[in-house]
Amino acid sequence: MTRLSTPLVVACIILGLPINGFVLPFQRSQHALQDSKSHNQPLIFSPSTGEVLETRPLHGRFLEITDIHPDPNYKPFTDPDSCCHYGNNEDYEFSPEDTGHYGFPVSKCDAPPSLVNATFEWIQKHYLDNIDFIVWTGDNVRHDRDRLLPRTEPEIFSSNEELVSTFRNVFGTGNPYFPYRIPIIPNIGNNDVYPHNLVVEGPTLQSREFYRIYNGMVPEEQAHIFNKGMYFMKEVIPNQLVVISLNTLYWFDTNPVVDGCNIKTDPGSHQFRWLRVVLKELRARGMKAWLSGHVPPTKDNWEPTCRDRYIAWTHEYRDVIIGGLYGHMNIDHFVVHDIVEAYKQKKEEGVAATHDESFVEPSLLSHAEASEDFDQDDHIKTCKPKHYIDPSDHDSFTAQGKADYFEEIRLGYEKAAKNHNNDTRYSLSLVHPSVIPTYFPGVRVYEYNIEGLDEAVRRPQVYANGLPVRPWSDIFDELNEYLDLIKQLDNSELDELDIETHGLEMPEVLHITKKKGKDKKKKKKKKLIIDPTWPPEFGDIEPGPAYKYQLFTPTKYIQFIANISRVNLKGEKFYYEVEYDTNKAPYHMVDLTVKNWIYLAGNLSSSVVQKKKKKGLWDKYLFYAFESSGYEEIMTWIWVDS
Ligand SMILES: *[C@@H]1O[C@H](CO)[C@@H](O)[C@H](O)[C@H]1NC(C)=O
Ligand SMILES: *[C@@H]1O[C@H](CO)[C@@H](O)[C@H](O)[C@H]1NC(C)=O
Ligand SMILES: *[C@@H]1O[C@H](CO)[C@@H](O)[C@H](O)[C@H]1NC(C)=O
Ligand SMILES: *[C@@H]1O[C@H](CO)[C@@H](O)[C@H](O)[C@H]1NC(C)=O
C-alpha cells in the first residue's frame, strides 16, 4: 500500500465507513438525492482531508471496447500487402473506398492513429458523462505481420501506454488518487504479450510493467496477485457490482506454456483457485459480477479442460455471474455454453487419471509444441487483404474457416433452442466487434437495470450471519499467500493438500498449506481426486440477473459501427452510427436475459431451415457479424459452393 491509504483509513474511521469502501462513488442520475450523507449516500472522499470531492451519478450504461490495434506506421493509399506500410502497389486496382485516412476496411491492415483518435473523440462527445464504467478487452498494439518491421516488447508496452493516455485524455481527472472519472477495466490480449500468445506465470518484468501501465485501473490491494497472473477484479459499483478481468491467455490453447486445467500446477488451474475464492466472497456479500477477457471461451480457442471448468463456474454461480464479455475474434456473435456437456467432460476426466506416476512433466512437451505453433501461425505471415481472396482458389481458407465456424455456432443454437424451457442449463459469452478495421470498426454500449439500487446501497454490508464484511485487502492478502505456497507444490502434493483442505475455509486452508510446503514427504497415492478448480455443485441456487429480470439485468445494447468506406470515399466526417439495437428490429429482445438469447438462437437457426430465397434472420445476423462490411457474401458464396 502507498501513502494514500493512511489518511483515507482515518477519514473512513471518522466518517464511520467501511475501510475497504475506498471509492464510494454514486447516486442515481435522474433524482439526485440532496441529503446524501444522512442516506449514507456514497461519495468520493479526498484522501487527505476526508472532504467530499464529488458524487458520481449512475446511468445504467457501460461501454465495451476491444482490439484497437493502433499502428503508427499505417499510411493511406499504400499497399495492403505491405500491411499498409509502404508502396502504392501500381499493379493494384484500388477502389477509392478501400484505403484512406481512417484505415482499410476488410483488410489485414491495423488501425491508423487517426481512427483511434476519432473513436475516442466520438466516445468523448457522446458518452463522457453517461456511462458507469468501461470494459476494455485488450490487443492494444499492431499485429506482428510486417517482416521488415518486427514488433518488439518495448513497442508493446509503449503502445499500451499510449492507449492508456488516450483513455486519460477523455476520462482522466488529473487527480492522482482518482485518476479516472469512472472505472476502466483493462485485459491482456494475446498480442499484448511477447512473443505473442505466450505468457508464463508471474511475477515477471512483463506483469510488473503492465501493473505500472494500468496504474489507477487495477486496484492496489491486488497488485501482488496481478503481478502473478495479470488477473484482477474491480468494484465498478462499490459493494454491489464487479467486473472480473480474467487472464484468458492461461486458458488459451495457442499459449505454448499452457497444458490444461486438469493439471494442478498449470497457471490456468491457479487462476481457477483464485476465481473460486472471489466468487464465493461475492456471493456471501450478495454482489453480482460480469466476467471479461480477451479470448472468448469457444471450442477452437480454449483448452477444453479449462473451458469446461469455466462453464461449470458460470453455472454454479448463476446467482452472481451476469455474463462474459470478450474480444479477439473481431466478429460480432454470441456463444451459448451448455452445463450438461461440461459435466460430461468432468466425468470423463475423473476416469482419465492425469496424476499417476507415468505423468510427463508438461514443460518438456510444451517447448517442442511451442516452435511448431509459431511456424503455423498465420498472424506473422502476410498482410494480404481478405477481400481479394478468390474463393475458387485454395487460398480461401480464411473464409472457409469462418463458414465452418458459423455452422458450428448455428448448430449450437439449434440444440439450445430445443431446451429453451430450461434456461439455467445455459450461460452466455458475448463476443464483440473490434475497432481494428478487419471489417468495419465497432464499439458497443450496454444498458442495465439500476432500479432498486438506492435501497441496495443503503443496506449495511454484512454477511448472511450478520457479521460485517471483511476488507477486500485482507481477502486478497490471504489469497496471495495461498497462491505463493501452492505454486511451490507438485501435482501429487496438491492432490494431498486438496483432500486435507476439502470443505475448509481459507484461513484454515492457508494454515494447512503452510505446513504442506515444509513437509515434503511423499504420502501414498490416494484414488479420490478432489479438484478445487471445479466448482462445488449448488443444486438449489436462485438464478440471478442473467436469468431473472432484477437489479443489474442487462436490458439491451446498441452496436455502433463506423463505415470507413463511406468516409474514405466521400471524404465525409468520421462518425459511429447505430448498426442495430437489440430492443428493436430485427431482434426485438425485451431484455438480455439468457432466456431471450435462447429464443433468439432458436429463431436464428430455424430461419436458415425455413428460408428459401427470402432473406432470413440468419442472413441479417451474419451481416452484423461482420459489422455490415459485406464480408459474409464471400463467406456464404464459399459455403454454398463447397
Ligand atoms: C486527438 O488528437 C488531437 C490532435 O492531436 C488531440 O488534441 C486530442 O487530444 C486527441 N484526442 C484524444 C481523445 O486523445
Ligand atoms: C435443466 O437442466 C439441468 C442441468 O442444468 C437438469 O439437471 C435439469 O433436470 C433440467 N430440468 C428440466 C426441467 O429439464
Ligand atoms: C458504407 O459506405 C459505402 C460507401 O458509401 C456504401 O456503399 C455502403 O452501403 C455503406 N454500408 C453501410 C452498411 O451502410
Ligand atoms: C422468437 O422465438 C420466440 C419463441 O419461440 C417467439 O415468441 C418470438 O416471437 C420469436 N421472435 C422473433 C423476432 O421471431
Side-chain angles (χ1 to χ4, degrees), residues 389-394 396 399-400 403-404 632-642:
I389 294 169
D390 176 357
S392 63
D393 105 25
H394 291 296
S396 61
Q400 180 66 57
D404 292 345
E632 80 288 353
E633 281 175 26
I634 302 174
M635 196 184 74
T636 41
W637 181 13
I638 289 167
W639 204 339
V640 172
D641 273 4
S642 57

Side-chain angles (χ1 to χ4, degrees), residues 37-85:
K37 244 186 220 163
S38 68
H39 287 99
N40 196 18
Q41 190 65 20
L43 303 164
I44 295 177
F45 295 95
S46 156
S48 49
T49 63
E51 232 180 297
V52 172
L53 285 184
E54 64 169 55
T55 59
R56 176 157 74 91
L58 282 176
H59 308 278
R61 202 177 286 117
F62 70 91
L63 178 86
E64 152 80 48
I65 187 165
T66 195
D67 293 79
I68 300 172
H69 289 289
D71 182 4
N73 309 293
Y74 177 94
K75 286 188 194 66
F77 311 111
T78 52
D79 181 358
D81 285 348
S82 79
C83 311
C84 297
H85 287 173

Side-chain angles (χ1 to χ4, degrees), residues 5-166:
S5 47
T6 317
L8 178 75
V9 167
V10 173
C12 288
I13 291 167
I14 292 168
L15 292 160
L17 290 161
I19 289 161
N20 59 319
F22 173 45
V23 178
L24 296 166
F26 60 97
Q27 61 189 40
R28 291 290 300 287
S29 53
Q30 299 95 331
H31 35 86
L33 295 166
Q34 295 301 310
D35 189 12
S36 34
K37 244 186 220 163
S38 68
H39 287 99
N40 196 18
Q41 190 65 20
L43 303 164
I44 295 177
F45 295 95
S46 156
S48 49
T49 63
E51 232 180 297
V52 172
L53 285 184
E54 64 169 55
T55 59
R56 176 157 74 91
L58 282 176
H59 308 278
R61 202 177 286 117
F62 70 91
L63 178 86
E64 152 80 48
I65 187 165
T66 195
D67 293 79
I68 300 172
H69 289 289
D71 182 4
N73 309 293
Y74 177 94
K75 286 188 194 66
F77 311 111
T78 52
D79 181 358
D81 285 348
S82 79
C83 311
C84 297
H85 287 173
Y86 0 70
N88 51 21
N89 198 348
E90 247 104 73
D91 311 332
Y92 219 78
E93 278 294 312
F94 277 127
S95 123
E97 72 252 39
D98 282 344
T99 172
H101 192 53
Y102 293 103
F104 194 141
V106 199
S107 77
K108 283 196 175 183
C109 298
D110 286 307
S114 53
L115 171 61
V116 181
N117 183 279
T119 297
F120 279 85
E121 295 275 318
W122 182 86
I123 292 170
Q124 178 161 36
K125 184 160 174 223
H126 297 276
Y127 287 102
L128 179 63
D129 284 320
N130 53 22
I131 51 175
D132 304 332
F133 57 94
I134 298 174
V135 181
W136 170 30
T137 42
D139 266 11
N140 305 320
V141 60
R142 69 182 172 100
H143 284 93
D144 196 10
R145 286 171 178 155
D146 184 348
R147 289 200 188 280
L148 300 175
L149 211 62
R151 193 176 62 191
T152 63
E153 191 167 35
E155 184 185 350
I156 294 176
F157 292 141
S158 66
S159 187
N160 266 273
E161 249 178 315
E162 254 166 66
L163 271 184
V164 165
S165 80
T166 307

Side-chain angles (χ1 to χ4, degrees), residues 416-572:
K418 291 201 181 110
N419 301 303
H420 66 87
N421 55 345
N422 197 359
D423 58 341
T424 54
R425 178 171 163 172
Y426 299 99
S427 59
L428 249 294
S429 287
L430 297 152
V431 189
H432 297 85
S434 51
V435 172
I436 182 185
T438 305
Y439 307 105
F440 279 153
V443 293
R444 184 177 291 181
V445 175
Y446 284 88
E447 293 186 11
Y448 63 102
N449 180 27
I450 51 171
E451 287 299 313
L453 187 57
D454 283 347
E455 300 87 89
V457 164
R458 289 198 204 106
R459 272 199 303 271
Q461 275 292 296
V462 292
Y463 297 121
N465 62 9
L467 289 174
V469 297
R470 298 174 67 201
W472 279 111
S473 56
D474 286 6
I475 290 157
F476 285 117
D477 285 350
E478 212 170 64
L479 191 45
N480 180 53
E481 201 179 341
Y482 172 71
L483 290 170
D484 265 344
L485 291 166
I486 61 160
K487 259 177 74 175
Q488 292 155 26
L489 303 180
D490 65 23
N491 272 308
S492 64
E493 286 165 338
L494 282 168
D495 276 347
E496 285 170 23
L497 177 72
D498 290 336
I499 291 167
E500 284 168 43
T501 56
H502 184 55
L504 301 179
E505 295 294 322
M506 189 40 98
E508 290 166 275
V509 172
L510 193 55
H511 183 71
I512 296 170
T513 311
K514 277 180 184 157
K515 288 197 302 194
K516 197 85 203 158
K518 296 194 185 98
D519 167 29
K520 284 266 180 187
K521 264 184 289 159
K522 283 257 151 77
K523 291 210 185 103
K524 237 185 46 209
K525 180 128 177 55
K526 298 205 176 64
K527 272 219 182 91
L528 175 70
I529 290 174
I530 303 281
D531 187 348
T533 63
W534 284 99
E537 292 182 28
F538 301 105
D540 52 357
I541 287 289
E542 183 68 22
Y547 300 92
K548 291 204 169 130
Y549 186 83
Q550 57 191 258
L551 181 61
F552 300 141
T553 293
T555 50
K556 72 167 188 174
Y557 68 73
I558 302 175
Q559 182 58 51
F560 291 96
I561 52 151
N563 183 344
I564 54 174
S565 288
R566 179 187 50 75
V567 181
N568 287 339
L569 187 66
K570 300 188 181 156
E572 275 181 28

